Amino acid sequence: MTKEELKRQVCAAIDAQREKIMEIGEWTLRHPETAFREWRTSAMVKEFFQSLKLPVREPLAVTGCRADLKSGKPGPAVALLGELDAIILPEHPYADPETGAAHACGHHAQITALLGAAIGLTSFNLKEFLSGNIALIAVPAEEHHPENYYKELLSEHRISRTSGKQQLIAEGVFDDVDIAMMMHSGHADFTPSGFNGFLIKKIVFSGRAAHAGLSPEAGINALSMARLALSAVDFQRDTFRDSDAVRIHGMIQEGGNAINVVPSHVTATCQIRAKTTEALLDASGKVDRSVQAAALAFGGGAEITTESGYLPFKSSAGLEKIHEDNLNLLDPDSGFYNFGHRGSSTDMGDVSMIMPALHAYTGGTGGTPHARDFVVTDPDQAYLRPAKLLAMNAVELLYGNAESAYAVLKTEPELTREDYKKLYRESNQTKHWNYMK
């Protein structure tokens, strides 16, 4: 059977199970669960894999799981990913009335596509046509939440990272994976060339309380320190290159306790985004210096805790070409395009730093992502199409002696696995400055 014939067979197998795939999509839509709490969805995925006679590894990253299709022949391992979690959006028409969770980002379509791809890839004898391994991974916790959301899991050492893909990397689930691909719901067929990565800064300014009307000179104004630090960051914006897509945004959570008392304790949170790890670390250092300078200027104290968010995502040009070719084979009128760089972030960025990765979008939805009007408008586009494309991409990569996969792997990743671990360790730190007398 030729490669093209095999792809057509895979798509036909998926079409033959259209009703079942639609049921999965609608069930998942109506059972939304948030990060690391996707128990019902994970159980459904596990049962589905087992119904296809696939061995399942679980639990991974609390609620994730993995099934493998092994050719029995040497070759690269290709991972197909599907995200499990929903967001909190109580006003969404399909929100859970108790938790407020809702699939307003399309992750229910992702996991449906992963299971649809599994149907296609189990419709033939892998050993006869492919080399290497296909890992089907259901991934929890892509959506980022405030720290208190993860507090219990972290304290119980059930997680050491606050995103699903980062946790899977930490647990070694990607140690035997060479290439990773996923598809995301959207309004059109495209791939972004990249996403911003981000860091979180938790900042505490310490001063001295005093009567604001009677003796302000006796105080050290922590709120003024915060305002000066934010201004210092603002004044440095023209030092950020436009090509680095740097974004700095934040808020003051605590700005004092009483209007007639000089504030002695102020807390703020800042998020820094950038296109590359170098730009991210550069902006991070400038924020740190601004905070330190503000504390020095007022003779106060400051503490800044940096927490790693997601690393920047870099799309694989080789995988983009394979995806575009398969999309044109499936639908010559798709109008596929490269979106360019996106200012938002995804933990697929961490995966893309250590291996070639694809984060493609497909149509079939309407409304605004993360808003109450975001819904699937064309189930065939949202559920079946990405299932076929994931399966076709895997076939293309591993067909024969996996020549296409080896061609993609000629491009070196941004980071070695060890460098990735080192960067994570160095990105999480706390600094203190005390200039009070």
Side-chain angles (χ1 to χ4, degrees), residues 357-380:
L358 179 77
H359 187 289
Y361 283 76
T362 187
T365 64
T368 303
H370 288 214
R372 70 176 309 278
D373 63 343
F374 186 86
V375 293
V376 168
T377 55
D378 186 336
D380 286 284

Side-chain angles (χ1 to χ4, degrees), residues 180-199:
M181 298 183 291
M182 62 172 286
M183 292 196 64
H184 202 292
S185 300
H187 302 330
D189 295 299
F190 66 90
T191 60
S193 58
F195 289 84
N196 273 350
F198 76 88
L199 293 170

Side-chain angles (χ1 to χ4, degrees), residues 138-214:
V139 183
E142 189 273 335
E143 302 292 350
H144 195 264
H145 294 268
E147 181 188 20
N148 60 353
Y149 180 94
Y150 307 101
K151 187 175 181 180
E152 182 178 338
L153 288 170
L154 288 166
S155 67
E156 295 174 352
H157 304 290
R158 295 168 67 192
I159 61 172
S160 59
R161 310 288 191 270
T162 55
S163 92
K165 296 182 193 68
Q166 291 176 337
Q167 184 63 28
L168 290 172
I169 293 172
E171 292 179 12
V173 177
F174 283 99
D175 283 357
D176 62 346
V177 173
D178 301 292
I179 293 170
M181 298 183 291
M182 62 172 286
M183 292 196 64
H184 202 292
S185 300
H187 302 330
D189 295 299
F190 66 90
T191 60
S193 58
F195 289 84
N196 273 350
F198 76 88
L199 293 170
I200 296 289
K201 300 278 186 181
K202 295 179 179 176
I203 308 166
V204 179
F205 293 97
S206 300
R208 183 181 298 123
H211 194 293
L214 183 64

